[in-house]
Amino acid sequence: MLNLLELEQLIAFADLGTLSKAAEELHISQPTLTRTMKNLEAAFGVPLLAAQFPEQAVSSRLSEQPAIIEGTISGDCEIGILSYPIEIDGLACIPIVEENLFACIPKGHELAGCESLTFGQLNGFNCLLRSQIGFWTGLCFQKMPASKFLIQTDDFSFRELVQNSTLPCFTTNLATDMSDILAGRNKIPVLDAEANVVYYFICKKSNGHYATIAEQLRGAGNLP
């Protein structure tokens, strides 16, 4: 299954154009990034987009979801990722992966013994948040108005605080890069419907190559 760390590396490679620049941006070694790209190629049985379309510039951007739909319909973008399904003539919409939110509670915290949590139970507790985590940040602010959030933009600082702070934080089933720093915390599922999201891959039905990739991603994510 494609995890968030692999997706982050793939996007960096697409945006920056070379392995060396992407590795420098992500603060990882180039061989590490190369291994990730080779693993993705092997997992999905397709070459990377930059290799398959050498005449085209490959880029990505975060946009509001209506703009993603509009851009895919108009042809301004080849593919889009949504957090809800759509039915539009001419567009393929394929579920590819489900992301589930977990609260990571220090073992001495009063919520540490809970088997599951809701945003209502978490509301009022101050928490650590990592920046640039898509809609999750806005969702936490919306669902936990009585809480205060210590938002970290630097990955090293965030990881240090998770290991040494008593503040709850969050992770998801796709964030495989956090397992080493969560040993002192209980990982508790958040049950609210909004905390469990299926992502959908959209492209024009006429673009058979991308539709094939989406079907392979769905299979890798074990979605029906």
Side-chain angles (χ1 to χ4, degrees):
M1 179 165 63
L2 183 70
N3 61 50
L4 287 184
L5 183 61
E6 293 169 333
L7 181 59
E8 179 186 29
Q9 292 180 16
L10 179 59
I11 289 173
F13 180 36
D15 283 344
L16 297 172
T18 68
L19 289 169
S20 59
K21 288 181 180 178
E24 183 179 355
E25 175 72 17
L26 296 169
H27 304 293
I28 60 176
S29 69
Q30 186 170 327
T32 297
L33 183 58
T34 300
R35 281 195 299 272
T36 298
M37 297 302 105
K38 288 182 177 179
N39 289 341
L40 293 180
E41 288 186 331
F44 300 124
V46 293
L48 294 175
L49 297 181
Q52 184 155 358
F53 302 110
E55 302 300 322
Q56 298 182 16
V58 180
S59 64
S60 64
R61 66 178 181 271
L62 291 174
S63 302
E64 295 295 327
Q65 298 195 77
I68 293 173
I69 298 169
E70 214 174 289
T72 307
I73 293 172
S74 68
D76 287 343
C77 59
E78 297 283 352
I79 64 173
I81 304 293
L82 304 176
S83 61
Y84 56 84
I86 58 171
E87 290 187 15
I88 296 177
D89 287 343
L91 285 189
C93 180
I94 302 169
I96 54 171
V97 69
E98 181 174 2
E99 187 171 26
N100 310 117
L101 188 68
F102 293 82
C104 302
I105 309 296
K107 295 191 186 252
H109 195 280
E110 63 182 273
L111 296 178
C114 297
E115 293 187 1
S116 61
L117 288 167
T118 65
F119 282 120
Q121 291 172 287
L122 290 163
N123 188 31
F125 289 99
N126 299 333
C127 299
L128 291 170
L129 274 185
R130 197 175 193 167
S131 66
Q132 299 178 336
I133 53 172
F135 64 87
W136 292 118
T137 300
L139 182 64
C140 289
F141 274 90
Q142 177 189 349
K143 294 293 185 178
M144 300 167 60
S147 299
K148 293 182 179 179
F149 299 98
L150 181 59
I151 299 177
Q152 294 298 303
T153 58
D154 178 72
D155 182 68
F156 176 79
S157 298
F158 176 77
R159 296 173 73 88
E160 285 293 303
L161 285 170
V162 169
Q163 289 181 295
N164 297 290
S165 169
T166 59
L167 294 176
C169 64
F170 295 93
T171 190
T172 78
N173 59 307
L174 302 183
T176 58
D177 61 328
M178 288 186 62
S179 57
D180 60 327
I181 62 172
L182 296 177
R185 294 171 178 260
N186 292 339
K187 188 174 158 184
I188 303 173
V190 180
L191 297 184
D192 301 66
E194 301 94 329
N196 300 280
V197 179
V198 174
Y199 294 105
Y200 295 83
F201 181 110
I202 63 169
C203 67
K204 288 185 177 180
K205 289 181 178 178
S206 58
N207 196 328
H209 171 73
Y210 288 117
T212 299
I213 292 176
E215 289 291 353
Q216 291 172 322
L217 287 170
R218 174 165 68 177
N222 297 317
L223 289 176

